[in-house]
Amino acid sequence: MEMIFLRLPRAHIYEFICMFLLASYAAWAQAPSATGQISGVVKDATEALIPGAQVILTNPQTKTTATASTDAQGAYSFNSLAPGTYLVSAGAKGFQAAQSPEQKLDSGQTVKYDFTLPLQGIAQSVTVSAGTVENAYRVDNVAPGGPLGSTPILDLPYSINVISRQLIDDTQSRNFKEAAKYLPLVSFQEMQGPEVLRPETRGMQGSNMQNDMKDGMGIAVTTPSALEEYEQIEVVQGASSSLYGPANPSGMFNFITKRPTDEFLGEIELDYEGNSVGTIHTDFGGRLGKKKKFGYRSNLVLADGQGYVSNSQLRRQLVAIAADYRVTSHTTIEGNYSYYNLYQHGYPGWFAYSPTTTPVDVPGSKSILIPLQAPNPTLPGYGQSFSGVDLKSQIGEARLKHDFSARWHFVAGALNQIADRNINTAVNQFVDNNGDYKSYLANAFSSLAPRFEVTSNLGYLEGRVNTGSVIHDIVIGSNGYRFGSYSPVNGPAKTALCTYQGVCEANIANPLSDIIPPGGIFSYAYTAPGTGIYESSIIHQQGVNFDDEMTLSPRWILRVGVNQDWTWISAFADKASTGYNRVAAAGGYDSQGVSPSASLAFKPAQNQTIYATFVQSLQAPDVAAANSGSLVIINASSALPPYRSKQGEIGYKLRLRRINFTTDVFRLERPFANYVAGIVNPVCGSQSGTANCEAYQITGNQLNYGAEAMLSGRIFERLMLTGGLTALNPKLTDTGIAATNNKDFVGIPDWHSNILAEYQVPRLTGLFFNTDWQHVGRRPVDDINSEYTPQFNTFDFGIRYTTRIADRVTNFRITVNNATNVFYWSTLGPGSITGQSTGSYLAHLGDPRLITASIRYDL
């Protein structure tokens, strides 16, 4: 790992070291200093002691928390407590959580409180109660019913991070892009605007849907999502095919929906952002009937107004309904439905540029790059008031959960998504290195899928068996999907927006706007059957996985897993004469393969885990482009063999009374595909051996070394911090092109960090100040690393105040994001997920200074 640190500035090395020192100091700062004590034991209904149960101590006045785990005798203890009133709650795998009444503690007193936990399985809903106390943004478990089972994150031999509901609320995040910066181990690549993006980890970009799930079932992610619908977002870093099936080694992102609450929950929130965008959000939940068998949860959002650009419009509409029915104490049926419409016009479009893969000093080469300093995104003209996105996503899902016993649980589910993407964003194509560009509408500029349809499924059986002294936590399951992508029958012509006196050009320093193209604005919403859309490709994927976590002793855990998958793709071409009828086309393929993993973990103490994991991860391959003009591709429209990524990582996890700390180092490698010119092959005919004869083939690897660290919790009684950093060394190796070999991958910084801190004001209960600092290192703009964008820093400041109005909890929040109004490129990237781009590269502008304010009233 020396390579990572040697290439980083010294200040960055110090920051990385400080993360370790801060975790160590926090542990020391929480050492006992003697006053009162609360202790007890945790048992089950048979009076058997429960080791490893999680116990949480809460001060209801300050809403601060502390966490402990029971020892081998089921005992817990909280020492050096100040006099006051406390609540204690306890929970353990396979049992229902329980909470004590208020415990009054005097100076020097010891209070005893024991718990008896009833059995609970996966059929019990994971609920959120009104008035939940602050957890310092820490989440200790992923949602049940997936390949990770119900093992606490602390004991899992993977790097896993969670964006919690509280973090989403306190930062007033409305979409994944806004929330992602609080997990600097996570990034994204914007595609057709700020809400059409592909999440990524460890410098690897995700695909349209292979890397994303909703409640454990696959969804298309390059459609909008409203975070008001979700309880948390779970992220498994890096290669994860051994758990979830073939996917890019860019991590797995699981969006967990809000579930019905055991007690009545009612919240109304009013927000303000941008120039005049107003939002109303209601969140209601509870249970009905004498035995409370029927549960419900609804989230409704309506937002509309002008964004940060003059004459722009942002409109958001969300209807999200969740329900469940407890058939018996062991069986629950769940259902979800959501409809989300995002209408966003007038915001900056994306910028396209065309660098070469040869050094710029080669005669005849022309490398067109972006200006290294990004322009002011609030200026009209980088987008047009009549252009943007009108995106709709409808998702319905159903699940059955059943407990066979306290040890064995089953879940099965199905999901259907229809995503309509009417994308007419402005595309600004640079034509030289002086900032001159032409503008197009996105639908006329490139082939953007106007619709996705997804049907996905899951089924998992989870349980525990003993073989002698070895405990096996086993997960056996299957998941898969059908992903249909649509294309236009007859796409619109590539017509430029003539922005000035008939000349279809502008300059980045002097953008011109609102010149409607003579031919009008194309919209898929108004196409006739003969000029409509058809299903042009279908990807089927289904797999079976097996995971066995073997507890060999209290200190040693061995985990092995394997996923056997089958993938097949069908491609279709449209018969223009028959409208929607389609015919088979080249480009289909069938493949299957195994993705294995093996991990070994050592626990020096109950609250610590040291692990090493090796994974081989299968990934669906790329497909060569079709022949175009005089260019002949030998394997046109044919799929390459499936890619196999290899990842090794070593990590350390620590959970203290008030903080969680994780860190890891990793090596991640995957194949790299490229178009190789000058091939001698009879398929090319007279072009054989010339620059117009190409073969699409694997020529090398993308090799990423990295180190990550994340810390969340209360460093002091009144200071809460969540932050982390990623140091990355992303390289292209053996590319087959001397100019690109051993160069950094486009758009990936070697350093990314973010620290969010919140301070509670003394003697003013409920008043909190927060600040956030994000740092992004320099990034290469092309494959030959001819230029790097400068590093940048953004700072956010906020205040929140919690009080009671009419005896109801009320929260006020004001946040200033990007307070110093830094202009920066949000994302840079080639036009394809893997390999070098043969066409345009894409660059998107980051948000300017934005002020958001909200008031939330609990009914």
Side-chain angles (χ1 to χ4, degrees):
M1 304 312 298
E2 296 178 6
M3 299 172 57
I4 303 169
F5 297 103
L6 289 176
R7 69 196 301 270
L8 293 174
R10 182 174 298 176
H12 290 165
I13 299 175
Y14 291 160
E15 185 174 352
F16 194 92
I17 295 173
C18 284
M19 292 291 294
F20 288 89
L21 296 178
L22 191 58
S24 301
Y25 177 77
W28 172 83
Q30 296 177 63
S33 62
T35 42
Q37 179 190 72
I38 297 179
S39 62
V41 296
V42 180
K43 302 174 290 184
D44 65 16
T46 66
E47 297 296 311
L49 299 173
I50 304 177
Q54 184 183 51
V55 186
I56 299 174
L57 179 78
T58 303
N59 184 323
Q61 299 300 316
T62 63
K63 294 191 177 181
T64 57
T65 62
T67 304
S69 296
T70 56
D71 59 20
Q73 286 72 45
Y76 73 90
S77 178
F78 295 99
N79 304 313
S80 65
L81 299 177
T85 301
Y86 296 90
L87 294 171
V88 189
S89 60
K93 180 179 178 180
F95 297 91
Q96 297 184 37
Q99 181 172 289
S100 74
E102 289 189 346
Q103 304 293 310
K104 186 177 180 181
L105 183 67
D106 296 326
S107 179
Q109 182 184 14
T110 296
V111 172
K112 296 284 188 180
Y113 190 86
D114 297 338
F115 289 91
T116 300
L117 303 183
L119 290 176
Q120 177 185 25
I122 198 172
Q124 297 293 330
S125 299
V126 179
T127 60
V128 179
S129 299
T132 299
V133 298
E134 298 181 58
N135 59 9
Y137 304 147
R138 297 180 298 160
V139 177
D140 293 320
N141 295 279
V142 297
L148 295 174
S150 53
T151 302
I153 293 176
L154 174 69
D155 295 333
L156 288 169
Y158 311 104
S159 177
I160 299 174
N161 290 279
V162 179
I163 300 175
S164 68
R165 177 75 251 161
Q166 184 193 344
L167 180 60
I168 293 171
D169 285 344
D170 287 351
T171 59
Q172 302 184 87
S173 299
R174 302 292 178 253
N175 55 49
F176 179 80
K177 178 183 176 181
E178 295 175 357
K181 71 178 180 182
Y182 303 109
L183 288 184
L185 281 58
V186 169
S187 188
F188 53 84
Q189 177 66 48
E190 291 185 56
M191 302 307 296
Q192 290 90 38
E195 294 210 38
V196 184
L197 46 84
R198 292 172 174 166
E200 63 183 52
T201 67
R202 297 183 173 174
M204 299 286 187
Q205 184 186 146
S207 65
N208 280 330
M209 71 155 291
Q210 286 184 338
N211 299 93
D212 303 277
M213 295 181 169
K214 182 175 183 180
D215 296 321
M217 293 173 282
I219 58 172
V221 73
T222 47
T223 59
S225 60
L227 293 192
E228 289 92 344
E229 180 185 358
Y230 298 108
E231 188 64 37
Q232 63 190 41
I233 304 172
E234 303 168 353
V235 184
V236 180
Q237 307 282 123
S240 57
S241 293
S242 61
L243 293 169
Y244 300 98
N248 293 346
S250 52
M252 186 60 64
F253 296 77
N254 191 14
F255 294 74
I256 306 299
T257 54
K258 293 178 178 178
R259 301 304 311 153
T261 55
D262 284 332
E263 304 298 330
F264 173 76
L265 170 70
E267 296 176 351
I268 298 178
E269 184 173 331
L270 302 175
D271 301 347
Y272 176 89
E273 62 181 282
N275 285 341
S276 64
V277 179
T279 304
I280 181 170
H281 168 216
T282 63
D283 184 358
F284 288 90
R287 307 201 70 83
L288 302 176
K290 291 183 178 180
K291 297 184 178 180
K292 295 188 175 182
K293 287 191 171 185
F294 177 78
Y296 66 93
R297 186 77 177 267
S298 70
N299 278 268
L300 308 176
V301 174
L302 177 61
D304 202 355
Q306 179 176 284
Y308 59 77
V309 182
S310 298
N311 297 320
S312 64
Q313 183 180 6
L314 173 64
R315 184 175 69 240
R316 301 192 305 130
Q317 298 170 302
L318 170 70
V319 177
I321 307 295
D324 66 33
Y325 181 72
R326 295 174 177 172
V327 181
T328 69
S329 60
H330 299 287
T331 306
T332 300
I333 299 174
E334 297 180 349
N336 288 349
Y337 171 79
S338 67
Y339 167 86
Y340 185 51
N341 176 214
L342 172 71
Y343 181 93
Q344 190 176 45
H345 276 206
Y347 282 67
W350 70 86
F351 290 81
Y353 59 104
S354 302
T356 66
T357 56
T358 57
V360 294
D361 57 357
V362 174
S365 67
K366 182 181 181 183
S367 189
I368 300 174
L369 307 177
I370 59 169
L372 299 184
Q373 183 59 53
N376 183 351
T378 65
L379 294 178
Y382 302 132
Q384 311 295 324
S385 63
F386 55 80
S387 70
V389 298
D390 186 2
L391 307 171
K392 300 180 177 68
S393 179
Q394 297 184 69
I395 301 178
E397 54 180 310
R399 284 185 303 276
L400 170 67
K401 296 180 177 180
H402 179 72
D403 301 326
F404 292 102
S405 67
R407 290 189 171 188
W408 287 92
H409 317 292
F410 174 74
V411 59
L415 176 149
N416 178 258
Q417 177 187 23
I418 299 176
D420 289 311
R421 310 185 334 145
N422 193 20
I423 301 175
N424 265 311
T425 307
V427 182
N428 305 308
Q429 175 78 56
F430 283 108
V431 296
D432 57 34
N433 286 314
N434 299 318
D436 296 316
Y437 64 86
K438 292 183 178 181
S439 287
Y440 303 86
L441 290 183
N443 270 332
F445 182 79
S446 57
S447 300
L448 303 177
R451 171 177 287 185
F452 294 136
E453 289 191 12
V454 179
T455 302
S456 54
N457 62 79
L458 67 79
Y460 287 102
L461 176 66
E462 171 198 347
R464 172 176 288 189
V465 296
N466 294 359
T467 56
S469 61
V470 178
I471 302 173
H472 299 262
D473 287 297
I474 295 173
V475 178
I476 304 171
S478 176
N479 65 67
Y481 60 81
R482 177 194 186 276
F483 175 47
S485 182
Y486 285 69
S487 296
V489 173
N490 294 303
K494 183 177 178 180
T495 303
L497 301 176
C498 296
T499 57
Y500 181 65
Q501 295 181 353
V503 179
C504 301
E505 292 186 13
N507 187 275
I508 197 168
N510 184 30
L512 301 174
S513 63
D514 292 346
I515 308 299
I516 299 178
I521 303 170
F522 178 85
S523 172
Y524 287 112
Y526 303 106
T527 54
T531 59
I533 61 177
Y534 71 100
E535 195 170 30
S536 56
S537 69
I538 301 173
I539 302 175
H540 291 269
Q541 182 171 299
Q542 194 70 41
V544 177
N545 73 290
F546 173 84
D547 289 275
D548 184 2
E549 181 178 279
M550 292 168 276
T551 303
L552 307 177
S553 72
R555 293 188 180 274
W556 291 96
I557 300 174
L558 175 66
R559 185 181 179 106
V560 295
V562 63
N563 200 305
Q564 167 67 56
D565 277 273
W566 296 266
T567 301
W568 56 103
I569 291 182
S570 301
F572 302 94
D574 178 69
K575 284 184 176 179
S577 60
T578 57
Y580 281 107
N581 292 333
R582 63 188 185 186
V583 294
Y589 68 87
D590 294 286
S591 68
Q592 60 87 29
V594 174
S595 298
S597 68
S599 306
L600 182 63
F602 173 68
K603 296 184 69 64
Q606 194 173 29
N607 66 337
Q608 299 178 59
T609 302
I610 301 172
Y611 69 89
T613 297
F614 177 78
V615 176
Q616 282 196 355
S617 184
L618 202 65
Q619 172 187 335
D622 288 332
V623 177
N627 295 325
S628 177
S630 61
L631 177 63
V632 180
I633 301 174
I634 295 171
N635 53 342
S637 301
S638 298
L640 298 179
Y643 296 172
R644 185 172 292 278
S645 303
K646 298 178 181 179
Q647 175 182 280
E649 71 175 280
I650 299 173
Y652 171 72
K653 298 182 181 183
L654 170 68
R655 185 179 66 193
L656 293 174
R657 209 175 60 177
R658 294 179 179 172
I659 68 167
N660 289 357
F661 175 71
T662 65
T663 186
D664 63 79
V665 294
F666 63 86
R667 181 188 186 275
L668 176 55
E669 179 181 11
R670 75 166 169 192
F672 173 84
N674 191 24
Y675 290 90
V676 178
I679 302 298
V680 177
N681 191 288
V683 173
C684 295
S686 61
Q687 304 285 2
S688 181
T690 71
N692 287 333
C693 179
E694 293 184 350
Y696 190 54
Q697 62 190 48
I698 295 174
T699 61
N701 293 286
Q702 181 181 353
L703 178 59
N704 290 3
Y705 289 93
E708 305 166 324
M710 192 76 193
L711 184 149
S712 295
R714 294 194 176 276
I715 307 304
F716 301 108
E717 185 68 28
R718 297 185 180 275
L719 178 63
M720 183 180 68
L721 183 147
T722 181
L725 52 91
T726 297
L728 195 61
N729 184 12
K731 293 289 186 183
L732 298 178
T733 62
D734 302 322
T735 63
I737 301 175
T740 64
N741 201 41
N742 290 322
K743 293 297 193 298
D744 292 339
F745 201 82
V746 179
I748 300 176
D750 55 8
W751 186 266
H752 182 200
S753 62
N754 193 89
I755 298 176
L756 171 66
E758 183 176 75
Y759 179 71
Q760 181 185 8
V761 179
R763 294 186 295 275
L764 291 175
T765 303
L767 182 62
F768 299 83
F769 288 103
N770 60 72
T771 182
D772 184 82
W773 169 34
Q774 177 184 216
H775 172 80
V776 177
R778 66 175 195 157
R779 294 164 290 167
V781 303
D782 62 359
D783 285 327
I784 63 175
N785 297 177
S786 56
E787 297 283 1
Y788 284 79
T789 60
Q791 64 180 8
F792 68 88
N793 298 276
T794 61
F795 298 92
D796 306 338
F797 300 97
I799 182 173
R800 67 183 179 97
Y801 178 61
T802 301
T803 186
R804 285 184 175 272
I805 297 178
D807 201 33
R808 300 293 181 180
V809 176
T810 306
N811 287 276
F812 298 88
R813 296 183 177 93
I814 300 176
T815 303
V816 182
N817 291 315
N818 192 3
T820 56
N821 205 26
V822 174
F823 304 147
Y824 61 95
W825 295 108
S826 175
T827 62
L828 310 169
S832 62
I833 299 175
T834 59
Q836 296 169 318
S837 175
T838 58
S840 293
Y841 286 47
L842 308 178
H844 293 78
L845 293 176
D847 290 340
R849 180 191 298 120
L850 285 175
I851 299 176
T852 59
S854 67
I855 176 174
R856 188 179 71 190
Y857 186 74
D858 293 356
L859 300 177

